[in-house]
Amino acid sequence: LQGLDSFMDSVNRCAGDSCAFLQEIFRDTQVDVPVEAVRQGHWQYVFSVYADSLGWFRGKFLREPSERDYTFKEGPEPAAGGPGMIWLQGAEGSPFAGDLVPGVDRAEAQEMLDRHVRLRRTYRASERAKGMVETLAQLEVQRDRLLGGLDQLSQMGAGR
């Protein structure tokens, strides 16, 4: 039970750290992100910076941030943003593939891309992200130990 209690404490600490980290990234984007983008899915933009920084420290996406990691998609119909509206997307193969910022003009999309690259570079140097990855690695070890212990208990119970 002590192992389970320790695991739950680690999970709670990691969840709190994740929320604080996402809030920090959100505060850094609030100044530069258009209000309309915030209303239409800004959290994907924030979460993609978070995912990229953790992926960097886990060794899963080591390529230097650049414009190659993004694509632009034009809005196909007026209800989806109208003619000339652009969606900034993470490219396939990036840890943030899919829509990042919906329905902005070309200049705003480019500005959002440039800001996203800068944020990714900044948060790849974050001690908070590095600490979270260390905590996640510890959680995996704790989980494996707990599962092994539970498996042994179940085998002992089955042998009775």
Side-chain angles (χ1 to χ4, degrees), residues 122-134:
T122 297
Y123 283 102
R124 282 181 171 200
S126 168
E127 286 300 317
R128 178 175 273 170
K130 183 179 179 184
M132 286 181 57
V133 168
E134 290 168 359

Side-chain angles (χ1 to χ4, degrees), residues 138-152:
Q138 291 170 355
L139 278 172
E140 289 175 12
V141 170
Q142 286 178 309
R143 184 195 66 214
D144 290 345
R145 284 183 188 153
L146 280 171
L147 290 173
L150 290 171
D151 189 44
Q152 287 177 351

Side-chain angles (χ1 to χ4, degrees), residues 88-122:
L88 174 62
Q89 298 181 318
E92 291 298 318
S94 73
F96 48 87
D99 289 343
L100 296 176
V101 178
V104 295
D105 65 35
R106 174 68 72 175
E108 285 177 316
Q110 184 63 49
E111 185 178 313
M112 296 298 293
L113 183 154
D114 294 341
R115 177 69 174 153
H116 200 264
V117 169
R118 284 192 306 272
L119 284 166
R120 288 174 56 208
R121 287 184 178 136
T122 297

Side-chain angles (χ1 to χ4, degrees), residues 13-66:
R13 188 173 51 255
C14 190
D17 289 348
S18 292
C19 289
F21 190 37
L22 284 165
Q23 288 170 340
E24 180 182 336
I25 296 167
F26 178 75
R27 281 189 301 273
D28 281 353
T29 61
Q30 266 186 319
V31 176
D32 296 326
V33 177
V35 175
E36 191 59 32
V38 173
R39 277 191 236 130
Q40 296 182 12
H42 175 66
W43 279 106
Q44 185 58 32
Y45 186 85
V46 170
F47 181 76
S48 63
V49 174
Y50 170 90
D52 180 73
S53 64
L54 295 184
W56 167 258
F57 283 107
R58 293 184 90 169
K60 295 190 181 234
F61 193 74
L62 299 175
R63 196 169 71 209
E64 184 66 25
S66 73

